[in-house]
């Protein structure tokens, strides 16, 4: 199916758009099952491509809103669904847009994000959509294995960093399985992984202020926080004062702090540098 549809469009997948199309039926069934799509769900799918995952989602959900940046693919998708599952065609809404600059979505607000995300924009797209669409109560995304590891990493390890903390602001994140290379066309040169997120209330504090501290802490992750946060706070001494006010050891490193720790630090009062 995938190659036939690509041939219709004279489509050559591009690295620029991160186009690696999912084609394995067993993997698609596994994704829909792992996402726990419910009959009343409005599923947001980003980057539906040639429609394999879309066709897997439609029978399980009330509605699928597919956001596709490539206008050729966006135009083909309704025809593909009409040809292969005409009984479900009315459940599909296609929006031609960049997921990082998403317009207002038509119809009922989405409740779940299920997507095979392009490797080069997976983290920004996930964070942007979670912020923009508070009705998304869960997500299951297929991403590069290394990205999956970073998103789901707990504090304390080398994989823990900016993506881990920012994703944790929105919910509980976990690895939900590995995916090999052969289920894609063209076959990528990296393995992939599934990441699941279940939304929960964020920690007390301001998101923008918290994310600013996170960015500063991991920009110099090999240094202790007293030094790493000197520019953010105004001076090493000011950073130390705010760290102590938050109950955090100034010699600690960013990878040792949870999202709640960062939020508490961001909420401390500025001190004179």
């Amino acid at each position: 199916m995938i190659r036939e549809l690509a041939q219709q469009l004279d489509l050559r997948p591009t690295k620029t758009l991160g186009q690696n199309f999912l084609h394995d039926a067993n993997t698609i069934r596994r994704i829909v099952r792992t996402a726990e799509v419910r009959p009343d769900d409005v599923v947001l799918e980003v980057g539906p491509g040639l429609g394999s995952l879309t066709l897997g989602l439609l029978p399980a959900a009330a509605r699928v809103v597919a956001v596709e940046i490539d206008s050729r693919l966006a135009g083909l998708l309704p025809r593909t669904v009409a040809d292969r599952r005409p009984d479900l065609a009315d459940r599909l809404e296609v929006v031609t847009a960049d997921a990082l600059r998403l317009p207002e979505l038509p119809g009922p607000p989405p409740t779940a994000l299920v997507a095979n995300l392009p490797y080069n924009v997976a983290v920004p797209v996930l964070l942007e959509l979670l912020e923009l669409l508070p009705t998304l109560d869960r997500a299951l995304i297929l991403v590069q294995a290394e990205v999956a590891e970073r998103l789901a990493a707990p504090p304390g390890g080398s994989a823990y960093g900016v993506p881990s903390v920012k994703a944790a602001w929105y919910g509980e994140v976990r690895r939900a399985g590995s995916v090999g290379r052969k289920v894609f066309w063209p076959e990528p040169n990296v393995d992939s992984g599934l990441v699941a997120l279940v939304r929960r209330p964020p920690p007390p504090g301001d998101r923008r202020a918290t994310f600013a501290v996170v960015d500063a802490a991991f920009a110099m992750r090999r240094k202790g926080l007293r030094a790493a946060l000197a520019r953010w706070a105004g001076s090493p001494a000011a950073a130390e004062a705010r760290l102590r006010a938050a109950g955090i050891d100034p010699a600690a490193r960013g990878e040792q702090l949870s999202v709640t720790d960062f939020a508490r630090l961001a909420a401390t009062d500025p001190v004179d540098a």
Side-chain angles (χ1 to χ4, degrees):
M1 166 189 153
I2 289 290
R3 285 177 175 81
E4 290 172 23
L5 292 171
Q7 204 167 24
Q8 285 179 33
L9 294 177
D10 192 25
L11 175 73
R12 292 171 180 80
T14 71
K15 286 187 177 181
T16 309
L17 295 178
Q19 290 175 328
N20 297 95
F21 300 118
L22 191 61
H23 65 76
D24 180 68
N26 288 330
T27 303
I28 291 162
R29 282 191 287 269
R30 176 183 163 204
I31 290 171
V32 176
R33 185 173 65 249
T34 305
E36 298 180 355
V37 177
R38 301 186 292 255
D40 61 343
D41 270 324
V42 176
V43 175
L44 175 62
E45 184 189 3
V46 174
L50 292 164
S52 299
L53 181 55
T54 313
L55 287 165
L57 289 166
L58 284 168
R63 177 177 165 87
V64 174
V65 181
V67 175
E68 175 57 62
I69 193 172
D70 188 322
S71 59
R72 294 175 303 163
L73 293 173
L76 180 65
L77 187 56
R79 302 205 303 271
T80 301
V81 172
D83 287 346
R84 293 173 185 270
R85 287 304 304 263
D87 56 319
L88 301 176
D90 62 345
R91 297 187 186 184
L92 175 67
E93 181 84 42
V94 180
V95 176
T96 308
D98 181 346
L100 288 170
R101 297 170 181 81
L102 201 60
E104 189 173 342
L105 293 174
T111 55
L113 169 67
V114 184
N116 168 28
L117 291 178
Y119 293 163
N120 53 344
V121 294
V123 172
V125 164
L126 175 65
L127 297 176
E128 176 72 17
L129 294 176
L130 288 168
E131 180 60 28
L132 182 68
L133 301 167
T135 56
L136 287 174
D137 60 32
R138 63 199 186 285
L140 183 75
I141 57 171
L142 178 56
V143 294
Q144 185 176 341
E146 184 181 344
V147 175
E149 185 180 4
R150 288 178 183 172
L151 280 167
S158 59
Y160 185 73
V162 172
S164 330
V165 185
K166 291 184 177 180
W169 175 269
Y170 296 101
E172 300 289 342
V173 188
R174 64 177 176 85
R175 289 289 298 269
S178 299
V179 175
R181 307 177 186 194
K182 296 187 182 299
V183 303
F184 296 98
W185 176 77
E187 192 173 309
N189 59 5
V190 292
D191 292 325
S192 299
L194 290 167
V195 176
L197 180 146
V198 177
R199 195 187 283 268
R200 53 156 170 68
D206 179 78
R207 180 188 65 87
R208 288 182 182 275
T210 301
F211 283 13
V213 186
V214 172
D215 289 336
F218 286 101
M220 306 173 73
R221 66 177 297 152
R222 293 186 180 181
K223 293 191 174 183
L225 288 170
R226 184 183 189 275
L229 296 179
R231 179 176 292 182
W232 166 78
S235 71
E240 179 169 348
R242 295 186 70 170
L243 285 159
R244 292 195 183 282
I248 297 167
D249 180 357
R253 293 184 177 182
E255 65 200 43
Q256 296 171 257
L257 272 58
S258 70
V259 66
T260 304
D261 295 329
F262 278 111
R264 192 172 67 253
L265 175 57
T268 57
D269 292 328
V271 297
D272 292 335

